[in-house]
Amino acid sequence: MYDVIVIGGGTAGLMAAVAAAEQHKKVLLLEKGTKLGNKLAISGGGRCNVTNRLPTEEIIKNIPGNGRFLYGPFSIYNNEDIIQFFESKGVALKEEDHGRMFPVSDRARDIVETLLEELERVNVTIMLRTAVEKLLMNDTHVIGVRTATTDFMATSVIVAVGGKAVPHTGSTGDGYAWAERAGHTVTTLFPTEVPLLSQEKFIQNKTLQGLALRDTAVSVLNAKGKTLITHKMDMLFTHFGVSGPAILRCSQFAVKEQMKNGGKPVTLQIQTIEDKAHNVTQQLQKLAKGEPKKALKNTYKALAVERWLLFLFEQAGLDPNKTGADVSQAELRALAEQLTTFTMQISGSQPMEKAFVTGGGVSVKEIEPKTMASRKMQGLYFCGEILDIHGYTGGYNITAALVTGRIAGMSAANC
Ligand SMILES: Cc1cc2nc3c(=O)[nH]c(=O)nc-3n(C[C@H](O)[C@H](O)[C@H](O)COP(=O)(O)OP(=O)(O)OC[C@H]3O[C@@H](n4cnc5c(N)ncnc54)[C@H](O)[C@@H]3O)c2cc1C
């Protein structure tokens, strides 16, 4: 008989187990894999983007999947508390661009090892290679968990089994069926922070493969041509479609829009110049007039990287070797259109296995934000990516997992 059972030794589960055992409770951590903190160890390219130092308001904005739910949890434990937790255990952290926090050592293992040392210090019982098969419940209460060989009983159970993304780390989506059995709603699951696919000829022909566009405004448009979201960051053309930070951030909007419109392709807009085509036409005209004998590809070379500029010339049906003296107003308008509103069709995304994060999950409407307790089953708690909370990469998902884990552990211990 345990006070608290934590299922899943990932980001949220490790923090939950530490927090529960700090309250001098008998805590059992069950992990189906051979190691703890697998996903944490590979996050941030193996450097572990452990949290983010932006103000709460900004952090919430960077969690488009139900970020607002986190105002409650953040009032109890937040990103600054995460920083304080690791620094007080001797892991110096540093801030990089956009508030992203990493260990100074650039070693994700330092973060994982700190959590493991804490588990030991507060006497958490750990069982590896122990997959939970189901939750044991009566009509109103969770009473324990079942594994292949044993039933473990407890006053409270924390489900921290993660989502479905990158399943080789252990997160294979086991918890969704348990949540439903406990009376919870699981919202539609979809891959987020994921590269996007395209059947466009120039993608299939690999015309632009390897081309990176720096600090470029990328937007997802809906079926009526309205902008759903814009992110201005780097992007990359690949052999299957598009990737890079701007694309990963746009991906959930493209995926959701495609689900909404019955699987039809979704339009992505790339703005090389963020201005009206009319204004850009005038600019192009002025430049052309200024250097009438020069080939246009040279006159306009400051506007974009050469490979992209030549591609846009081709899309506009304009010969890049034409001179300023020869070009017509209509041709310049066509080029200005390409520079301001180039669009391509997105046919889908890479699968969940290749996504950084799972979209959808256990509905946050059925979770108490200040305790992470289930509103459907007493003694049951959820934390981490199994919840319908998903953010951009940048430390936001790990922050959500550590904060919800901490609160689930603290509350489950006092259940
Ligand atoms: C490559 C990669 C890079 C990332 N980079 C970033 C980043 O830079 N910033 C950011 O914020 N987020 C990042 N993320 C996302 C972030 O790592 C996750 O959102 C977060 O770690 C989820 O934590 P979790 O505890 O909910 O799940 P997980 O860490 O996945 O842990 C779930 C655990 O539960 C165990 N488990 C599953 N089923 C069972 C069962 N039946 N019985 C027992 N145990 C079970 C699993 O083995 C696993 O150990 C990245 C993700 C990936 C894949």
Side-chain angles (χ1 to χ4, degrees):
M1 181 75 194
Y2 289 87
D3 294 314
V4 180
I5 290 177
V6 180
I7 316 172
T11 313
L14 294 176
M15 189 52 119
V18 168
E22 276 177 3
Q23 315 277 319
H24 308 289
K25 299 289 164 152
K26 203 172 158 203
V27 180
L28 173 65
L29 174 62
L30 298 173
E31 165 56 47
K32 75 171 172 186
T34 55
K35 275 197 283 178
L36 298 169
N38 266 343
K39 198 171 270 185
L40 197 54
I42 61 167
S43 72
R47 298 196 301 131
C48 192
N49 184 187
V50 64
T51 189
N52 192 294
R53 196 147 222 178
L54 293 179
T56 301
E57 198 62 38
E58 288 301 310
I59 293 196
I60 302 293
K61 272 193 211 150
N62 280 287
I63 306 183
N66 289 316
R68 295 181 65 79
F69 171 84
L70 292 170
Y71 276 118
F74 263 55
S75 67
I76 298 166
Y77 194 82
N78 65 20
N79 51 333
E80 290 298 330
D81 294 315
I82 294 172
I83 293 167
Q84 157 71 16
F85 175 87
F86 286 104
E87 296 212 311
S88 71
K89 315 282 177 232
V91 186
L93 301 179
K94 60 178 171 180
E95 183 174 338
E96 296 195 354
D97 58 319
H98 304 101
R100 297 184 306 151
M101 299 297 292
F102 292 87
V104 170
S105 64
D106 282 333
R107 272 172 33 102
R109 291 249 43 106
D110 288 356
I111 296 294
V112 177
E113 275 160 22
T114 301
L115 286 163
L116 301 191
E117 281 161 20
E118 279 303 290
L119 289 178
E120 202 182 326
R121 189 181 68 78
V122 293
N123 295 317
V124 172
T125 305
I126 300 166
M127 297 181 81
L128 299 177
R129 299 183 189 82
T130 311
V132 168
E133 293 181 346
K134 65 186 278 197
L135 302 180
L136 302 174
M137 297 175 274
N138 61 28
D139 285 349
T140 54
H141 280 74
V142 67
I143 52 172
V145 306
R146 175 161 296 168
T147 69
T149 53
T150 321
D151 285 354
F152 295 98
M153 311 313 279
T155 313
S156 54
V157 173
I158 300 174
V159 180
V161 292
K164 276 186 124 173
V166 191
H168 74 79
T169 59
S171 51
T172 45
D174 301 8
Y176 300 119
W178 308 339
E180 282 176 337
R181 260 201 67 232
H184 282 274
T185 310
V186 174
T187 62
T188 307
L189 303 178
F190 57 94
T192 80
E193 299 302 292
V194 67
L196 297 174
L197 311 177
S198 176
Q199 298 300 320
E200 294 277 8
K201 236 189 190 146
F202 61 89
I203 294 290
Q204 298 302 314
N205 295 343
K206 304 183 173 45
T207 311
L208 298 175
Q209 184 177 350
L211 172 65
L213 300 180
R214 302 278 170 227
D215 210 20
T216 300
V218 180
S219 307
V220 178
L221 310 186
N222 72 8
K224 290 182 181 154
K226 188 172 165 265
T227 301
L228 295 173
I229 188 81
T230 303
H231 281 292
K232 195 173 178 196
M233 291 183 121
D234 298 350
M235 67 160 285
L236 175 73
F237 289 94
T238 68
H239 61 288
F240 55 76
V242 281
S243 188
I247 300 299
L248 295 184
R249 286 182 168 231
C250 283
S251 64
Q252 61 184 285
F253 299 91
V255 169
K256 280 198 277 192
E257 179 61 15
Q258 196 176 29
M259 291 194 307
K260 204 166 125 194
N261 70 19
K264 288 195 200 117
V266 175
T267 305
L268 199 74
Q269 180 174 279
I270 300 170
Q271 288 178 279
T272 312
I273 302 175
E274 287 174 89
D275 199 349
K276 295 217 165 66
H278 171 73
N279 295 341
V280 174
T281 308
Q282 286 181 345
Q283 260 183 50
L284 294 178
Q285 238 166 355
K286 207 168 150 200
L287 288 168
K289 267 192 189 156
E291 300 195 82
K293 290 188 181 154
K294 215 173 181 182
L296 292 172
K297 66 177 181 194
N298 295 327
T299 307
Y300 300 148
K301 73 175 177 214
L303 297 181
V305 283
E306 190 183 13
R307 199 169 156 203
W308 179 236
L309 186 64
L310 291 178
F311 174 75
L312 294 183
F313 266 105
E314 195 188 321
Q315 297 295 303
L318 174 57
D319 177 356
N321 292 311
K322 250 190 186 177
T323 61
D326 296 338
V327 70
S328 71
Q329 163 95 3
E331 285 172 320
L332 289 184
R333 201 178 311 123
L335 182 61
E337 293 283 351
Q338 294 298 325
L339 284 163
T340 52
T341 56
F342 171 83
T343 59
M344 62 183 284
Q345 295 303 302
I346 295 300
S347 56
S349 76
Q350 284 200 325
M352 188 74 93
E353 292 71 37
K354 299 249 170 98
F356 282 98
V357 184
T358 312
V362 175
S363 171
V364 290
K365 290 183 190 142
E366 299 158 358
I367 303 293
E368 289 288 345
K370 290 201 176 168
T371 60
M372 305 314 295
S374 159
R375 287 184 167 147
K376 301 283 176 182
M377 183 64 60
Q378 290 181 43
L380 185 60
Y381 296 79
F382 291 92
C383 54
E385 205 176 304
I386 189 173
L387 292 166
D388 183 7
I389 297 175
H390 53 90
Y392 298 134
T393 51
Y396 306 106
N397 295 292
I398 294 177
T399 301
L402 290 173
V403 166
T404 57
R406 182 86 197 169
I407 291 169
M410 282 159 54
S411 333
N414 294 313
C415 176

